[in-house]
Amino acid sequence: MEIRTFVDRFLRFETTDGDEGEAQSWLRDQFESFGFDTYEWTADADRLASHPSFPDDSAEIHVADRPSVAGVVTFGDPDAGPTLVLNGHCDVVPVDRENWSSDPFDPVWADGEVTARGAADMKSGLAACVFAVRDLQERVEDGELDGLDGRLVVESVVGEEEGGIGAAAAALDNPYPFDRDAAIVAEPTELRCVTATEGTVMKRLHLRGRAAHAATRWNGEDVLPHFERIRKAFFELESERSESVSHPLYDTFPIPWPVCIGTVRAGSWASSVAGTLTAECRFGVAPGETVDEVEEAYEARLAEVVAESDWLSEQPPTFERFSIQFEPAEIDADEDVVRSLQTAMGVTGHDTTDPVGATYGADSRHYVAAGIPTVLYGPGSIEQAHFPDETINWDDVETARETYAEAAVEFLLSE
């Protein structure tokens, strides 16, 4: 099977909403047909409930029929060399089909690009990892490479969009009978070397006013002006943090630690004063900070707004965590896996190999927390991820494939 055929078939699996099982079964079959040793694991919801990324209630963590799979290839004496993991996730976010110009799960190949849900985030990147390992198998068999000792692992994990279910499980409880020395996660980084990822804290705000008939709205207490004051205060704190919290890899971002108020639901009837409001918010966490610290900062700013309002003081808002949390992660640019990747990027013609930061979270944080140095590098752009008509340039996929292979050789020869 050629990589284009592999990607085309992979993209046709609708791996949304926890429905990764069929795709993962297909992937495991492919790994076996390629001569990889295969492994499979399923996360334990109770185990994840004790992890800071996930809800405390294990019933809210859906793990049934969601296996993560891996293929392993050994070179020379595997115990005499290091083990490098090439990681990707097979799950994709849901689609609003009305905003797509084609069926999101029927890939469109045109003008050197492929369009489908998951093309950029991140099935093409995962495929590039698979075929990089296949390329090295062939080079070793053909006698082009001598002296390689160690292992390469290609992982397809589930639930990345839900906090990293498969990766967190692999980080907490090693599914392999060997240790892992480093990892590369194939997120869409525009072929840049990402050594730092931002964290996020998710909070749900609930305000209570007093409903009243529109004809006598002066008898009510509209929640919207109260919300506007809170919203303004949060964005003022965002601006303050952009100045006070610095990191050299984030100087180029106009808003390094962004706030996003993604959903707002207020009122119950068009001719009634809005008496309730619920807003769901995402707050950026810089590398070097903790989720708890940033949460406390926004809670304190909310408390200031409440203290200035008699109504809010008497009807205090609730402001609680919900969904999943992402701790930030960072590794040193001197790590062997970073140097190996940068050397490979030079070989494959990249304009720059300098490390950069990303304003999103990734599964890398789970491995970094487990003591496994992990870097992000992959084809495609985060600006295409989660978007209608998600598209990736095919030349970038081939470049990533070559770069993964060269990075693996550099890393296995580094010890």
Side-chain angles (χ1 to χ4, degrees):
M1 183 180 292
E2 295 299 322
I3 185 172
R4 284 175 64 107
T5 305
F6 183 98
V7 168
D8 189 88
R9 180 68 187 93
F10 195 14
L11 289 170
R12 292 177 187 274
F13 290 101
E14 193 167 341
T15 51
T16 58
D17 300 323
D19 191 17
E20 303 105 332
E22 185 181 359
Q24 293 292 75
S25 178
W26 175 81
L27 272 174
R28 180 163 184 163
D29 289 344
Q30 301 312 307
F31 289 166
E32 290 175 350
S33 73
F34 298 155
F36 297 178
D37 296 325
T38 58
Y39 294 83
E40 182 175 309
W41 66 96
T42 300
D44 182 319
D46 291 331
R47 184 90 163 102
L48 294 184
S50 64
H51 190 287
S53 282
F54 298 93
D56 294 336
D57 183 356
S58 62
E60 297 181 24
I61 308 170
H62 305 297
V63 299
D65 302 318
R66 303 181 74 180
S68 294
V69 299
V72 179
V73 174
T74 59
F75 298 96
D77 180 356
D79 295 323
T83 294
L84 176 66
V85 176
L86 302 177
N87 167 281
H89 63 84
C90 74
D91 58 305
V92 299
V93 297
V95 296
D96 182 352
R97 291 177 182 267
E98 292 183 358
N99 289 325
W100 283 69
S101 60
S102 60
D103 184 333
F105 296 101
D106 184 5
V108 175
W109 298 79
D111 302 321
E113 297 178 331
V114 57
T115 298
R117 172 56 87 223
D121 188 20
M122 56 179 293
K123 291 179 178 179
S124 299
L126 176 52
C129 294
V130 173
F131 280 80
V133 175
R134 293 198 70 197
D135 292 342
L136 290 186
Q137 282 181 300
E138 293 182 7
R139 290 169 64 183
V140 169
E141 290 171 1
D142 292 343
E144 295 180 21
L145 289 172
D146 293 321
L148 284 187
D149 292 311
R151 298 180 185 86
L152 294 180
V153 181
V154 181
E155 288 183 344
S156 174
V157 294
V158 299
E160 190 270 352
E161 304 290 357
E162 299 168 61
I165 289 172
L172 291 169
D173 301 298
N174 187 355
Y176 311 109
F178 50 79
D179 293 330
R180 298 153 293 176
D181 295 290
I184 300 174
V185 176
E187 285 284 353
T189 68
E190 300 181 0
L191 301 177
R192 300 293 301 274
C193 170
V194 174
T195 57
T197 57
E198 192 164 321
T200 62
V201 56
M202 307 287 283
K203 299 279 282 183
R204 181 180 286 127
L205 172 72
H206 183 72
L207 303 178
R208 284 187 297 161
R210 183 171 59 230
H213 195 289
T216 58
R217 67 181 178 87
W218 53 86
N219 290 326
E221 184 69 32
D222 190 346
V223 291
L224 292 173
H226 296 296
F227 172 67
E228 280 302 314
R229 285 192 290 274
I230 294 169
R231 181 177 179 275
K232 180 182 178 183
F234 284 170
F235 282 108
E236 287 174 349
L237 180 54
E238 175 195 70
S239 296
E240 293 168 16
R241 283 173 41 75
S242 294
E243 297 294 330
S244 64
V245 181
S246 62
H247 190 290
L249 297 184
Y250 288 81
D251 290 343
T252 59
F253 291 102
I255 306 174
W257 329 119
V259 171
C260 179
I261 300 177
T263 69
V264 180
R265 295 177 294 275
S268 59
W269 189 248
S271 63
S272 296
V273 172
T276 60
L277 181 144
T278 300
E280 293 176 339
C281 315
R282 174 196 186 274
F283 303 100
V285 182
E289 294 184 307
T290 68
V291 165
D292 290 346
E293 290 170 345
V294 173
E295 180 180 40
E296 290 170 3
Y298 282 94
E299 287 178 340
R301 187 57 56 96
L302 173 62
E304 293 175 9
V305 178
V306 170
E308 295 171 354
S309 165
D310 292 340
W311 178 267
L312 292 179
S313 296
E314 294 172 3
Q315 308 286 338
T318 61
F319 194 40
E320 300 173 339
R321 287 189 187 185
F322 79 103
S323 186
I324 54 176
Q325 318 304 321
F326 281 64
E327 291 286 349
E330 183 175 15
I331 62 170
D332 196 289
D334 289 333
E335 290 284 356
D336 286 342
V337 68
V338 178
R339 292 202 301 265
S340 296
L341 175 60
Q342 289 175 307
T343 299
M345 292 168 69
V347 171
T348 54
H350 291 61
D351 293 333
T352 178
T353 65
D354 294 340
V356 298
T359 54
Y360 53 83
D363 275 344
S364 55
R365 72 192 192 283
H366 295 304
Y367 295 113
V368 171
I372 302 168
T374 304
V375 62
L376 270 59
Y377 168 87
S381 170
I382 197 66
E383 294 182 2
Q384 287 289 326
H386 303 191
F387 272 61
D389 289 343
E390 180 181 342
T391 298
I392 195 168
N393 181 284
W394 189 251
D395 285 344
D396 289 347
V397 178
E398 292 287 6
T399 297
R401 172 185 179 176
E402 297 172 9
T403 305
Y404 293 135
E406 293 298 330
V409 171
E410 289 291 331
F411 188 76
L412 294 187
L413 291 176
S414 67
E415 296 187 11

